[in-house]
Amino acid sequence: MSEKRSRSRQVEEERLREITLIAEDIIAKKGIGGLTLQEAIAKSSISRGTFYKLIPSKETLITYLGIKGVNYWLELVRKSIKYDALSRERLLVLYATHVLFNKLKPINYQCLFIANSESNKMLVNNELNDILDVRINDLINYIDSCIRLGITENNLSIAPNIDSLDMAFFIWANRYGATVTASNYKINNTDLTHKYKLFSDYNLDNMGWKPLSTELNYERVLIDIFKTFYTKEIKQAKKLHTPTSPFSITEQAFG
């Protein structure tokens, strides 16, 4: 019986892989708004009835694309999980993975944040939403570990009315893993939760983060992180690099 269930699960995963690849191709050509289940069904080898059992709505398909994306993001984080460094440099690792995920998997990146919105979650079953939440919480917990390390190092202080996990959520919500590592990050209060809007301006600007060294060059550290952990991804990213699609502050790392 277990073997039968295992085979059934394998078939389902193969079908989901096919469907998500088709959906990514449609979005690449037509954008999120141009994605329809009808076209995805027509291009797949799966019967209409079986397709709808797996993917009953466009929102469900977007959530699967988002989960696929956050799984990729977590793979990048895990590549450097044993990085022996201080907290600010660890947050730079997270920023490096953010840049690569956004650049190499832009469709899944976009779908991740759409899938995590309340409007999308309302139209998706709880089991799938729970899977998405677990993956996102894995990222938030990693950010939290960096913040707690900063507090232990006596290199970071946060307001007494929030805890490190709240702070980790604020950084996640801002969509930048290294928000607190450099002064050239601009907080954007649009499309974020009320709790984030309430606390982010004060706390991210007044965390009392002390420089580790007046000589420390964070750009150099970031480039070193890319070269140490993400050589293959850098090569892939270089192929996509254009003057109209830059790497934000990491531009020089890919020059």
Side-chain angles (χ1 to χ4, degrees):
M1 189 64 127
S2 176
E3 185 178 339
K4 186 177 180 180
R5 279 200 301 269
S6 177
R7 173 60 184 161
S8 176
R9 181 59 187 163
Q10 185 179 348
V11 170
E12 182 178 305
E13 288 175 354
E14 288 172 358
R15 286 170 174 165
L16 286 171
R17 191 177 301 113
E18 178 186 349
I19 292 168
T20 54
L21 286 172
I22 289 169
E24 288 164 11
D25 183 62
I26 294 171
I27 293 171
K29 294 173 181 175
K30 300 182 178 181
I32 292 283
L35 175 64
T36 65
L37 295 192
Q38 289 74 17
E39 183 174 0
I41 292 169
K43 291 186 174 182
S44 77
S45 62
I46 303 163
S47 70
R48 181 175 294 270
T50 301
F51 189 102
Y52 275 114
K53 282 181 183 178
L54 282 173
I55 312 288
S57 66
K58 178 177 175 177
E59 290 77 15
T60 299
L61 182 49
I62 286 173
T63 299
Y64 273 116
L65 290 169
I67 290 171
K68 186 176 179 180
V70 75
N71 284 342
Y72 177 78
W73 196 349
L74 286 166
E75 285 177 16
L76 292 176
V77 171
R78 290 184 186 116
K79 276 191 173 187
S80 58
I81 204 73
K82 294 181 180 179
Y83 184 45
D84 185 17
L86 295 169
S87 49
R88 292 184 74 162
E89 291 166 295
R90 289 192 181 188
L91 282 172
L92 281 173
V93 166
L94 195 66
Y95 181 68
T97 65
H98 180 279
V99 170
L100 289 170
F101 172 39
N102 188 11
K103 188 67 180 178
L104 296 176
K105 304 287 183 181
I107 292 169
N108 301 97
Y109 176 87
Q110 183 183 7
C111 286
L112 171 57
F113 292 102
I114 294 173
N116 195 46
S117 67
E118 286 302 317
S119 58
N120 199 88
K121 283 191 165 188
M122 287 175 63
L123 299 171
V124 175
N125 70 56
N126 291 335
E127 183 180 359
L128 198 58
N129 281 327
D130 287 345
I131 293 171
L132 179 68
D133 288 342
V134 167
R135 303 293 197 277
I136 291 173
N137 284 332
D138 284 344
L139 279 171
I140 292 174
N141 286 332
Y142 178 78
I143 302 170
D144 179 51
S145 70
C146 295
I147 293 170
R148 286 187 284 106
L149 178 63
I151 294 170
T152 301
E153 294 166 352
N154 197 29
N155 188 47
L156 172 65
S157 60
I158 60 178
N161 56 338
I162 63 169
D163 59 27
S164 62
L165 201 56
D166 284 329
M167 197 73 249
F169 169 75
F170 300 154
I171 294 172
W172 153 259
N174 191 50
R175 306 184 185 184
Y176 289 91
T179 303
V180 295
T181 66
S183 60
N184 62 337
Y185 291 91
K186 180 67 177 176
I187 304 305
N188 181 353
N189 281 337
T190 60
D191 192 31
L192 301 175
T193 69
H194 173 72
K195 190 176 186 183
Y196 175 70
K197 290 177 181 178
L198 187 63
F199 290 109
S200 62
D201 281 345
Y202 173 80
N203 287 292
L204 289 179
D205 290 339
N206 298 278
M207 289 174 73
W209 197 295
K210 305 168 187 175
L212 299 179
S213 163
T214 55
E215 315 232 336
L216 189 58
N217 183 325
Y218 285 104
E219 184 176 301
R220 177 182 54 77
V221 173
L222 185 58
I223 292 172
D224 181 63
I225 288 166
F226 276 118
K227 289 180 178 178
T228 302
F229 300 108
Y230 306 114
T231 303
K232 182 181 76 173
E233 287 80 11
I234 288 174
K235 288 179 180 177
Q236 292 172 336
K238 277 183 176 180
K239 294 177 182 177
L240 303 173
H241 180 71
T242 66
T244 57
S245 183
F247 283 92
S248 187
I249 66 164
T250 63
E251 178 79 21
Q252 292 184 36
F254 299 92

